[in-house]
Amino acid sequence: MPDTGPALMLHVAALRRYANALEGNREEADDLVQECLARAIARTRVWSEIRNVRAYLFTILHNLHIDRISRGRTAGVAVPLDHVEHKLTTKPAQEEGLRIRDLERALRVLPDDYRKAVLLVGLEGMSYQEAATTLGIPIGTVMSRLSRGRETLRQLMATDAHGKLRMVR
């Protein structure tokens, strides 16, 4: 078996340059070169047939790179966990759904005059003047009903000491 070490060492720098150009990432390039050299060393029995060691090594490197690209298409792209960790978790939606349900219940319990003012200003986004015109009442009355309606909603939708919503009935 021939000593392949010196023949390989002559080409390591050139292999690294080529691998870095292919991969665009120094760590990936070094891994590719290492895999290339390991493959070349594992096949030392064919070294007697090789006329151009440099071309042979570059062919191995190139083919390994193509294999990585092919595997990447089927296996996906490796992304560091810390870059996507925040996207892997979602807040539970149940609590928000319960709050909406409780708000609907609390709105049904509100006196009709308060509910109208809260819905027109809070939900529909009307100005006090627009709500007053719609309801046919003075603007001061809208402001008063809105204030009382909001306070009643706050009391109906109070939270306990742990921050959990509790419907006050």
Side-chain angles (χ1 to χ4, degrees):
M1 186 182 317
D3 184 14
T4 57
L8 294 177
M9 294 308 293
L10 292 173
H11 305 290
V12 170
L15 288 169
R16 288 185 80 201
R17 280 192 303 272
Y18 183 57
N20 201 26
L22 289 175
E23 294 290 335
N25 175 313
R26 184 173 297 237
E27 289 82 16
E28 292 294 321
D30 286 345
D31 288 348
L32 191 61
V33 170
Q34 183 177 352
E35 194 173 343
C36 169
L37 295 173
R39 194 165 287 190
I41 291 169
R43 296 184 180 148
T44 53
R45 65 181 185 283
V46 297
W47 275 74
S48 60
E49 302 167 13
I50 298 170
R51 291 193 172 99
N52 186 339
V53 173
R54 179 183 163 104
Y56 177 69
L57 292 172
F58 274 79
T59 301
I60 293 173
L61 186 85
H62 178 76
N63 290 338
L64 287 170
H65 174 70
I66 297 300
D67 287 347
R68 281 185 174 196
I69 291 172
S70 296
R71 278 193 311 260
R73 287 188 185 137
T74 58
V77 178
V79 178
L81 183 59
D82 57 334
H83 290 155
V84 294
E85 186 174 26
H86 65 281
K87 294 180 181 181
L88 297 177
T89 59
T90 57
K91 293 181 180 178
Q94 299 91 333
E95 191 171 323
E96 187 65 27
L98 293 174
R99 281 194 181 115
I100 291 170
R101 181 203 64 196
D102 289 346
L103 176 60
E104 289 171 346
R105 288 179 181 170
L107 282 168
R108 279 189 240 119
V109 173
L110 271 181
D112 196 43
D113 292 340
Y114 294 174
R115 182 174 50 254
K116 289 176 185 175
V118 167
L119 290 175
L120 290 176
V121 174
L123 182 66
E124 297 301 325
M126 287 187 179
S127 69
Y128 294 162
Q129 184 60 55
E130 291 170 323
T133 302
T134 300
L135 296 172
I137 57 176
I139 193 169
T141 305
V142 168
M143 293 168 66
S144 174
R145 289 179 183 174
L146 184 61
S147 175
R148 290 181 182 143
R150 286 176 175 164
E151 182 55 36
T152 304
L153 279 177
R154 272 192 279 284
Q155 290 173 3
L156 288 170
M157 305 217 23
T159 56
D160 64 16
H162 302 289
K164 292 186 179 181
L165 186 64
R166 61 177 175 84
M167 268 297 281
V168 178
R169 307 216 196 281

